């Protein structure tokens, strides 16, 4: 069974702090996506990473795909209350698209 | 551009009743996915269609669940009879291809079975 494990499961930090969220698997993926979900809404795509070692930046968010394409990280610099939400990684498995277990982030003002 | 449209947004019904959830995917997308999300189990894939054909329904929990896609612009997820443990948020998503392409989600249907 292909699984995407995310850590930490929950994270509560103060505005202005930095944080890193991890997405790990024992499987190799051809691509990996990060989504953010806010209460009452569906997940919204943030970024897609394809190449091992790839780094993408989206304003204060930095995404990295592991060299072996088995893991990924999301780093947020100077977190703001607007970053609050559920962060999900997702990847194409052998026969289906799978989502990670999620990291629920709360940024306190 | 219109995103994925789901209806109803909220549904409250009594145990044993039939529930039908509806989804209109983004025009031009040829893959459609139904998910269920709960705090305990996270986001679970129930079934997905490619070009209106069901490809993998291994995530459908029981025979009480069924899904159809009669055409490229409409899909339904039906639960009959419904049970309290079916209470969850149900999402529909669509994409250009089955695997590898990011999915676009609707805002979900929050289902409560009393």
């Amino acid at each position: 069974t292909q699984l995407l494990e995310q850590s930490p499961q929950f994270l509560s930090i103060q505005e202005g702090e930095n944080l890193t969220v991890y997405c790990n698997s024992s499987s190799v993926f051809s691509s990996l996506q990060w989504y953010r979900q806010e209460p009452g809404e569906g997940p919204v795509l943030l970024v897609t990473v394809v190449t091992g070692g790839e780094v993408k930046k989206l304003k204060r968010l930095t995404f990295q795909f592991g060299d072996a394409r088995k893991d990924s990280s999301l780093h947020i610099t100077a977190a703001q209350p607007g970053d609050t939400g559920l962060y999900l990684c997702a990847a194409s498995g052998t026969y289906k698209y799978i989502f990670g277990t999620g990291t629920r982030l709360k940024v306190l003002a | 551009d219109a995103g994925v449209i789901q209806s109803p947004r909220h549904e409250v019904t009594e145990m044993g009743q039939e529930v039908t959830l509806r989804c209109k995917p983004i025009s031009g997308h040829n893959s459609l996915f139904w998910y269920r999300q709960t705090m305990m189990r996270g986001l679970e894939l129930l079934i997905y269609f490619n070009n209106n054909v069901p490809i993998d329904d291994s995530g459908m929990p029981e025979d009480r669940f069924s899904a159809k896609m009669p055409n490229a612009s409409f899909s339904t997820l039906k639960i009959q009879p419904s049970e309290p443990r079916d209470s969850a948020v149900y999402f529909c998503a669509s994409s250009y291809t089955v695997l590898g392409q990011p999915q676009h989600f609707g805002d979900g249907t929050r289902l409560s079975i009393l």
Side-chain angles (χ1 to χ4, degrees):
Chain A
T1 302
Q2 294 169 310
L3 293 174
L4 285 172
E5 298 285 342
Q6 289 187 241
S7 62
Q9 190 176 359
F10 299 96
L11 188 57
S12 181
I13 63 171
Q14 293 291 325
E15 182 177 5
E17 292 184 4
N18 302 332
L19 67 116
T20 302
V21 174
Y22 300 93
C23 174
N24 295 296
S25 175
S26 59
S27 301
V28 177
F29 297 106
S30 57
S31 67
L32 186 142
Q33 285 84 35
W34 283 93
Y35 293 79
R36 180 170 66 207
Q37 183 179 17
E38 298 187 24
E41 300 180 6
V44 175
L45 178 70
L46 294 174
V47 76
T48 297
V49 287
V50 178
T51 306
E54 181 178 3
V55 176
K56 281 193 174 179
K57 291 192 174 184
L58 185 64
K59 297 184 180 178
R60 294 174 295 98
L61 278 60
T62 302
F63 304 86
Q64 184 163 8
F65 202 13
D67 291 340
R69 291 185 286 124
K70 293 183 179 181
D71 55 85
S72 181
S73 64
L74 159 59
H75 181 80
I76 302 179
T77 303
Q80 299 177 1
D83 296 327
T84 293
L86 176 66
Y87 287 81
L88 296 160
C89 61
S92 299
T94 303
Y95 298 110
K96 60 176 63 178
Y97 193 72
I98 57 175
F99 278 85
T101 49
T103 292
R104 199 167 294 274
L105 171 66
K106 186 168 186 176
V107 183
L108 305 171
Chain B
D1 290 341
V4 175
I5 300 173
Q6 291 186 245
S7 64
R9 287 299 311 274
H10 303 274
E11 175 88 14
V12 180
T13 192
E14 292 187 346
M15 179 176 65
Q17 297 297 309
E18 177 178 293
V19 174
T20 299
L21 311 181
R22 297 172 177 80
C23 175
K24 177 179 170 55
I26 292 174
S27 178
H29 283 186
N30 61 350
S31 296
L32 183 140
F33 306 79
W34 281 102
Y35 291 90
R36 177 172 67 178
Q37 187 176 40
T38 61
M39 285 295 292
M40 289 296 295
R41 301 173 68 90
L43 197 61
E44 301 175 278
L45 177 65
L46 300 177
I47 184 172
Y48 69 85
F49 295 83
N50 189 41
N51 294 323
N52 312 338
V53 176
I55 302 300
D56 183 357
D57 65 354
S58 60
M60 296 285 263
E62 299 172 34
D63 292 344
R64 298 183 296 105
F65 286 69
S66 62
K68 294 182 179 180
M69 192 166 185
N71 57 62
S73 59
F74 184 67
S75 176
T76 60
L77 177 67
K78 186 174 294 186
I79 308 173
Q80 166 64 21
S82 58
E83 296 183 5
R85 60 194 168 120
D86 302 331
S87 297
V89 181
Y90 290 80
F91 286 101
C92 175
S94 69
S95 70
Y96 280 112
T97 60
V98 175
L99 298 176
Q101 294 297 316
Q103 299 179 11
H104 298 260
F105 284 77
D107 285 337
T109 294
R110 182 172 295 276
L111 177 63
S112 297
I113 308 298
L114 305 177

